[in-house]
Coordinates of all heavy atoms in Angstrom, one line a residue:
V15 N 12.7 -5.6 1.0 CA 12.7 -4.2 1.3 C 14.1 -3.6 1.1 O 15.1 -4.2 1.7 CB 12.1 -3.8 2.6 CG1 12.2 -2.3 2.9 CG2 10.6 -4.3 2.7
G16 N 14.3 -2.5 0.4 CA 15.6 -2.0 0.2 C 16.4 -2.5 -0.9 O 17.5 -2.2 -1.1
I17 N 15.8 -3.4 -1.6 CA 16.4 -4.1 -2.8 C 15.6 -3.8 -4.0 O 14.4 -4.1 -4.0 CB 16.6 -5.6 -2.6 CG1 17.5 -5.9 -1.3 CG2 17.3 -6.3 -3.8 CD1 17.6 -7.3 -0.9
H18 N 16.2 -3.3 -5.1 CA 15.5 -3.0 -6.3 C 16.2 -3.6 -7.5 O 17.5 -3.8 -7.4 CB 15.3 -1.6 -6.6 CG 14.5 -0.8 -5.5 ND1 13.1 -0.8 -5.6 CD2 14.9 -0.2 -4.3 CE1 12.7 -0.2 -4.5 NE2 13.7 0.2 -3.7
G19 N 15.5 -3.9 -8.6 CA 16.2 -4.3 -9.8 C 16.6 -3.0 -10.6 O 16.8 -2.0 -10.0
L20 N 16.8 -3.2 -11.9 CA 17.3 -2.1 -12.7 C 16.2 -1.0 -12.8 O 15.0 -1.3 -12.9 CB 17.7 -2.6 -14.1 CG 18.9 -3.6 -14.1 CD1 19.0 -4.1 -15.5 CD2 20.1 -3.0 -13.6
E21 N 16.6 0.2 -12.9 CA 15.7 1.3 -13.1 C 15.1 1.3 -14.5 O 15.8 0.9 -15.5 CB 16.5 2.6 -13.0 CG 15.7 3.9 -13.1 CD 16.5 5.1 -13.0 OE1 16.8 5.6 -11.8 OE2 16.9 5.7 -14.0
N22 N 13.8 1.6 -14.6 CA 13.2 1.6 -15.9 C 13.8 2.8 -16.7 O 13.7 3.9 -16.3 CB 11.7 1.8 -15.8 CG 10.9 1.7 -17.1 OD1 11.2 2.5 -18.0 ND2 9.9 0.9 -17.1
P23 N 14.3 2.5 -17.9 CA 15.0 3.6 -18.7 C 14.0 4.6 -19.2 O 14.5 5.7 -19.5 CB 15.6 2.8 -19.8 CG 14.9 1.6 -20.0 CD 14.4 1.2 -18.6
V24 N 12.8 4.3 -19.3 CA 11.8 5.3 -19.8 C 11.2 6.1 -18.7 O 11.2 7.4 -18.8 CB 10.7 4.5 -20.6 CG1 9.6 5.6 -21.1 CG2 11.2 3.8 -21.7
T25 N 10.7 5.4 -17.6 CA 10.0 6.2 -16.6 C 11.0 6.6 -15.4 O 10.7 7.4 -14.6 CB 8.9 5.3 -15.9 OG1 9.6 4.1 -15.3 CG2 7.9 4.8 -17.0
H26 N 12.2 5.9 -15.4 CA 13.2 6.2 -14.4 C 12.7 5.7 -13.0 O 13.2 6.1 -12.0 CB 13.6 7.6 -14.3 CG 14.2 8.1 -15.7 ND1 15.4 7.6 -16.2 CD2 13.7 9.0 -16.6 CE1 15.7 8.2 -17.3 NE2 14.7 9.0 -17.6
Q27 N 11.7 4.9 -13.0 CA 11.2 4.3 -11.7 C 12.0 3.1 -11.3 O 12.4 2.3 -12.2 CB 9.7 3.9 -11.8 CG 8.8 5.1 -11.8 CD 7.3 4.6 -12.0 OE1 7.0 3.5 -12.5 NE2 6.4 5.4 -11.5
K28 N 12.2 2.9 -10.1 CA 12.9 1.7 -9.6 C 11.9 0.5 -9.8 O 10.7 0.7 -9.8 CB 13.2 1.8 -8.2 CG 14.3 2.8 -7.8 CD 14.5 2.9 -6.3 CE 15.6 4.0 -6.0 NZ 15.8 4.0 -4.5
D29 N 12.5 -0.7 -9.9 CA 11.6 -1.9 -9.9 C 10.9 -2.0 -8.5 O 11.5 -1.7 -7.5 CB 12.5 -3.1 -10.1 CG 11.7 -4.4 -10.2 OD1 10.7 -4.4 -11.0 OD2 12.0 -5.3 -9.5
A30 N 9.6 -2.3 -8.5 CA 8.8 -2.3 -7.3 C 9.3 -3.4 -6.4 O 9.5 -4.5 -6.8 CB 7.3 -2.5 -7.6
N31 N 9.3 -3.1 -5.0 CA 9.6 -4.2 -4.1 C 8.5 -4.2 -3.1 O 7.4 -3.5 -3.2 CB 10.9 -4.1 -3.5 CG 11.1 -2.8 -2.6 OD1 10.2 -2.1 -2.4 ND2 12.3 -2.6 -2.2
Y32 N 8.7 -4.8 -2.0 CA 7.5 -5.0 -1.0 C 7.2 -3.6 -0.3 O 6.0 -3.4 0.1 CB 7.9 -6.0 0.1 CG 6.8 -6.3 1.1 CD1 5.7 -7.0 0.6 CD2 6.9 -6.0 2.4 CE1 4.6 -7.3 1.4 CE2 5.8 -6.4 3.3 CZ 4.7 -7.0 2.7 OH 3.7 -7.3 3.6
A33 N 8.1 -2.7 -0.3 CA 7.8 -1.3 0.3 C 7.0 -0.5 -0.7 O 6.7 0.7 -0.3 CB 9.1 -0.7 0.8
A34 N 6.8 -1.0 -1.9 CA 6.2 -0.2 -2.9 C 4.7 0.0 -2.6 O 4.1 -0.6 -1.7 CB 6.4 -0.8 -4.3
S35 N 4.1 0.9 -3.4 CA 2.7 1.3 -3.2 C 1.7 0.1 -3.2 O 0.8 0.1 -2.3 CB 2.3 2.3 -4.2 OG 2.4 1.9 -5.5
V36 N 1.8 -0.8 -4.1 CA 0.8 -1.8 -4.2 C 0.8 -2.8 -3.1 O -0.2 -3.6 -2.9 CB 0.9 -2.5 -5.6 CG1 2.1 -3.4 -5.7 CG2 -0.4 -3.1 -6.0
Y37 N 1.9 -3.0 -2.4 CA 2.0 -4.0 -1.4 C 1.8 -3.3 0.0 O 0.7 -3.2 0.6 CB 3.4 -4.7 -1.4 CG 3.6 -5.4 -2.7 CD1 4.5 -4.8 -3.6 CD2 3.0 -6.6 -3.1 CE1 4.8 -5.4 -4.9 CE2 3.3 -7.2 -4.3 CZ 4.2 -6.6 -5.2 OH 4.4 -7.2 -6.4
L38 N 2.9 -2.7 0.5 CA 2.9 -2.1 1.8 C 2.0 -0.8 1.8 O 1.3 -0.5 2.8 CB 4.3 -1.8 2.3 CG 4.4 -1.3 3.8 CD1 3.9 -2.3 4.8 CD2 5.9 -1.0 4.0
G39 N 2.1 0.0 0.8 CA 1.4 1.2 0.7 C -0.2 1.0 0.7 O -0.9 1.6 1.5
D40 N -0.7 0.0 0.0 CA -2.1 -0.3 0.1 C -2.5 -0.8 1.4 O -3.6 -0.5 1.9 CB -2.5 -1.3 -1.1 CG -3.9 -1.1 -1.6 OD1 -4.6 -0.2 -1.0 OD2 -4.3 -1.8 -2.5
L41 N -1.7 -1.6 2.0 CA -2.0 -2.2 3.4 C -2.1 -1.0 4.3 O -3.1 -1.0 5.1 CB -0.9 -3.1 3.8 CG -0.9 -3.5 5.3 CD1 -2.2 -4.4 5.6 CD2 0.3 -4.3 5.7
L42 N -1.2 0.0 4.3 CA -1.2 1.1 5.3 C -2.5 1.9 5.1 O -3.2 2.2 6.1 CB 0.1 1.9 5.1 CG 1.4 1.3 5.5 CD1 2.5 2.2 5.1 CD2 1.4 1.0 7.0
V43 N -2.8 2.3 3.9 CA -3.9 3.2 3.7 C -5.2 2.6 4.0 O -6.1 3.2 4.5 CB -3.9 3.8 2.2 CG1 -4.4 2.8 1.2 CG2 -4.8 5.1 2.2
T44 N -5.3 1.3 3.7 CA -6.6 0.6 4.0 C -6.8 0.3 5.5 O -7.9 0.3 6.0 CB -6.6 -0.8 3.3 OG1 -6.2 -0.6 1.9 CG2 -8.0 -1.4 3.3
C45 N -5.7 0.3 6.2 CA -5.8 0.1 7.7 C -6.0 1.4 8.4 O -6.8 1.5 9.4 CB -4.5 -0.5 8.2 SG -4.3 -2.3 7.9
Y46 N -5.5 2.5 7.8 CA -5.6 3.8 8.5 C -6.8 4.7 8.0 O -7.2 5.5 8.8 CB -4.3 4.6 8.4 CG -3.3 4.1 9.3 CD1 -2.0 3.6 8.9 CD2 -3.4 4.2 10.7 CE1 -1.1 3.2 9.8 CE2 -2.4 3.8 11.6 CZ -1.2 3.3 11.2 OH -0.2 3.0 12.0
S47 N -7.1 4.6 6.7 CA -8.0 5.6 6.2 C -9.4 5.5 6.6 O -10.0 4.4 6.7 CB -7.9 5.5 4.6 OG -8.9 6.5 4.1
L48 N -10.0 6.6 6.9 CA -11.5 6.7 7.2 C -12.4 6.4 6.0 O -13.5 6.1 6.1 CB -11.9 8.1 7.7 CG -11.2 8.5 9.1 CD1 -11.6 9.8 9.5 CD2 -11.5 7.4 10.2
H49 N -11.7 6.4 4.8 CA -12.5 6.0 3.5 C -12.5 4.5 3.4 O -13.3 4.0 2.6 CB -11.8 6.5 2.3 CG -11.8 8.0 2.2 ND1 -12.9 8.8 2.3 CD2 -10.7 8.9 1.9 CE1 -12.6 10.1 2.2 NE2 -11.3 10.1 1.9
S50 N -11.8 3.7 4.2 CA -11.7 2.3 4.1 C -13.0 1.6 4.6 O -13.3 1.7 5.8 CB -10.5 1.7 4.8 OG -10.6 0.3 4.9
R51 N -13.7 0.9 3.7 CA -15.0 0.3 4.2 C -14.6 -0.9 5.0 O -15.4 -1.3 5.9 CB -15.8 -0.1 2.9 CG -15.2 -1.0 2.0 CD -16.0 -1.2 0.7 NE -16.1 0.0 -0.1 CZ -16.7 0.1 -1.3 NH1 -17.4 -0.9 -1.7 NH2 -16.7 1.2 -1.9
N52 N -13.4 -1.6 4.8 CA -13.1 -2.7 5.6 C -12.8 -2.3 7.0 O -13.2 -2.9 8.0 CB -11.9 -3.4 5.0 CG -12.2 -4.2 3.7 OD1 -12.9 -5.2 3.8 ND2 -11.9 -3.7 2.6
R53 N -12.1 -1.1 7.2 CA -11.8 -0.6 8.5 C -13.1 -0.1 9.2 O -13.3 -0.5 10.3 CB -10.9 0.6 8.4 CG -10.5 1.2 9.7 CD -9.6 2.5 9.4 NE -9.1 3.0 10.7 CZ -9.7 3.8 11.5 NH1 -10.9 4.2 11.2 NH2 -9.1 4.3 12.6
T54 N -14.0 0.4 8.4 CA -15.3 0.8 9.0 C -16.1 -0.4 9.4 O -16.7 -0.4 10.5 CB -16.2 1.6 7.9 OG1 -15.4 2.7 7.5 CG2 -17.5 2.0 8.4
F55 N -16.1 -1.4 8.6 CA -16.8 -2.7 8.9 C -16.2 -3.3 10.2 O -16.9 -3.7 11.1 CB -16.7 -3.7 7.8 CG -17.5 -4.9 7.9 CD1 -18.8 -5.0 7.5 CD2 -16.9 -6.1 8.5 CE1 -19.5 -6.2 7.6 CE2 -17.6 -7.3 8.6 CZ -18.9 -7.3 8.2
G56 N -14.9 -3.4 10.3 CA -14.3 -3.9 11.5 C -14.5 -3.1 12.7 O -14.7 -3.7 13.8
N57 N -14.6 -1.8 12.6 CA -14.9 -0.9 13.7 C -16.2 -1.2 14.3 O -16.4 -1.3 15.5 CB -14.8 0.5 13.2 CG -15.0 1.5 14.4 OD1 -14.3 1.5 15.4 ND2 -15.9 2.5 14.2
M58 N -17.2 -1.5 13.4 CA -18.6 -1.9 13.9 C -18.5 -3.2 14.7 O -19.1 -3.4 15.7 CB -19.5 -2.1 12.8 CG -19.9 -0.7 12.1 SD -21.0 -1.0 10.7 CE -21.2 0.7 10.1
I59 N -17.7 -4.2 14.1 CA -17.6 -5.5 14.9 C -16.9 -5.3 16.2 O -17.4 -5.8 17.2 CB -16.7 -6.5 13.9 CG1 -17.4 -6.7 12.6 CG2 -16.5 -7.8 14.8 CD1 -18.8 -7.3 12.7
G60 N -15.9 -4.5 16.3 CA -15.3 -4.2 17.6 C -16.2 -3.5 18.5 O -16.0 -3.7 19.8
K61 N -17.1 -2.7 18.1 CA -18.0 -2.0 18.9 C -19.2 -2.9 19.3 O -20.1 -2.5 20.1 CB -18.5 -0.8 18.3 CG -17.4 0.3 18.2 CD -18.0 1.6 17.6 CE -16.9 2.7 17.6 NZ -16.4 3.1 18.9

C-alpha cells in the first residue's frame, strides 16, 4: 500500500497495488453493500 510502479503513459493511471479497486475495494464493497449476496447469506446464518 502506498507504493506504485510507473504511471501508464496512455491512461495516466498508477500501477495497481493492494489499495486498488480489485483488491481492497472489492473486499470493502462486498462486505458493506446491501447488494452483496454473500453478505445477505451470512446475515441469515448469523440470525
